Amino acid sequence: ADSALTLRILRFARIRGGTTWLPAALDLYAGGTGEEVGETELQLALPWAMFSADAGNGVSMAQMFRDEHPSKLPPPLREMLDAQLNAWLGLWDVRSVERGVGMQVTDLLSGEERFVHEISGSAAIDERAVILGRVVDVGGVAIFGGIHPNPLEPMDADIAVREIRRMCRVRTRPIAVERLRQPHIELARLYIQTGDRAQ
């Protein structure tokens, strides 16, 4: 359902936004720096571009698609679209791993907890790694709807969390999910910059 939905939104985006939409959205993801987004990073940047980036009038390309095709999607794709639009970009601390099945994660920003079903990712990730990603709740199951390929160590993640809290003007309480659903270009850039400094 996720793959089929992605293809439909990208087709819609080509018609609605032309050939310039995706490069412009990826540049937003890169913080307007003009830097090219690496191929492995597209696994997060592309979902962010579709479901979070402002494509005009304060809504994402996926929301435009939803608004213009309210009844044309089969129920499984409509359910996936709504779930994707409800997801947010978080810093997910891996608390435990069940190899080949998934992982228990906690968002260090909102405090939300999930068991994310992730077959391939759970084979390589270690406990206490922190992942920048979107967790999608659909059909009673949580999946990753885009993750950054490079997890952070706990100490580096703590630096990123403190800076994000400063940016959001939230000292100790959880950051509201509604706030994290808004386009947070700085969140992605800050995460990547923290990882670069740690290497």
Side-chain angles (χ1 to χ4, degrees):
D2 191 31
S3 298
L5 178 64
T6 294
L7 290 175
R8 289 194 183 208
I9 293 173
L10 289 176
R11 280 198 297 267
F12 171 80
R14 279 195 294 271
I15 296 168
R16 197 73 160 70
T19 58
T20 61
W21 165 75
L22 186 55
L26 293 178
D27 188 51
L28 279 177
Y29 174 88
T33 62
E35 295 177 16
E36 187 173 334
V37 176
E39 187 174 343
T40 57
E41 200 171 335
L42 284 175
Q43 60 185 301
L44 175 61
L46 184 57
W48 185 89
M50 290 190 298
F51 298 107
S52 296
D54 185 351
N57 299 320
V59 298
S60 67
M61 189 59 73
Q63 186 63 57
M64 286 185 192
F65 175 77
R66 179 75 167 86
D67 293 344
E68 294 184 22
H69 300 82
S71 59
K72 293 183 180 179
L73 281 177
L77 296 193
R78 192 178 309 119
E79 183 181 19
M80 177 61 75
L81 175 56
D82 290 341
Q84 285 278 11
L85 288 170
N86 280 326
W88 69 93
L89 199 57
L91 291 177
W92 298 92
D93 180 22
V94 179
R95 299 297 173 93
S96 63
V97 179
E98 192 174 340
R99 300 292 182 197
V101 178
M103 61 194 82
Q104 186 71 35
V105 296
T106 300
D107 182 10
L108 297 175
L109 303 175
S110 68
E112 291 284 328
E113 299 180 0
R114 298 288 188 279
F115 183 86
V116 178
H117 292 264
E118 174 66 35
I119 295 172
S120 59
S122 64
I125 199 75
D126 293 321
E127 291 181 13
R128 299 319 315 264
V130 176
I131 302 167
L132 176 68
R134 303 171 66 257
V135 169
V136 179
D137 298 303
V138 58
V141 174
I143 61 171
F144 277 123
I147 60 173
H148 193 275
N150 302 320
L152 292 179
E153 294 293 328
M155 289 182 64
D156 299 319
D158 187 56
I159 295 170
V161 168
R162 286 200 307 269
E163 184 60 21
I164 292 163
R165 285 186 170 281
R166 187 191 64 77
M167 285 166 36
C168 293
R169 298 181 182 179
V170 176
R171 293 185 63 186
T172 57
R173 69 181 187 278
I175 300 173
V177 166
E178 291 76 15
R179 194 166 185 179
L180 294 172
R181 284 194 185 107
Q182 299 169 3
H184 270 264
I185 303 162
E186 297 90 349
L187 196 157
R189 283 301 94 201
L190 179 62
Y191 178 94
I192 295 159
Q193 289 165 4
T194 303
D196 289 344
R197 286 197 300 266
Q199 290 178 356

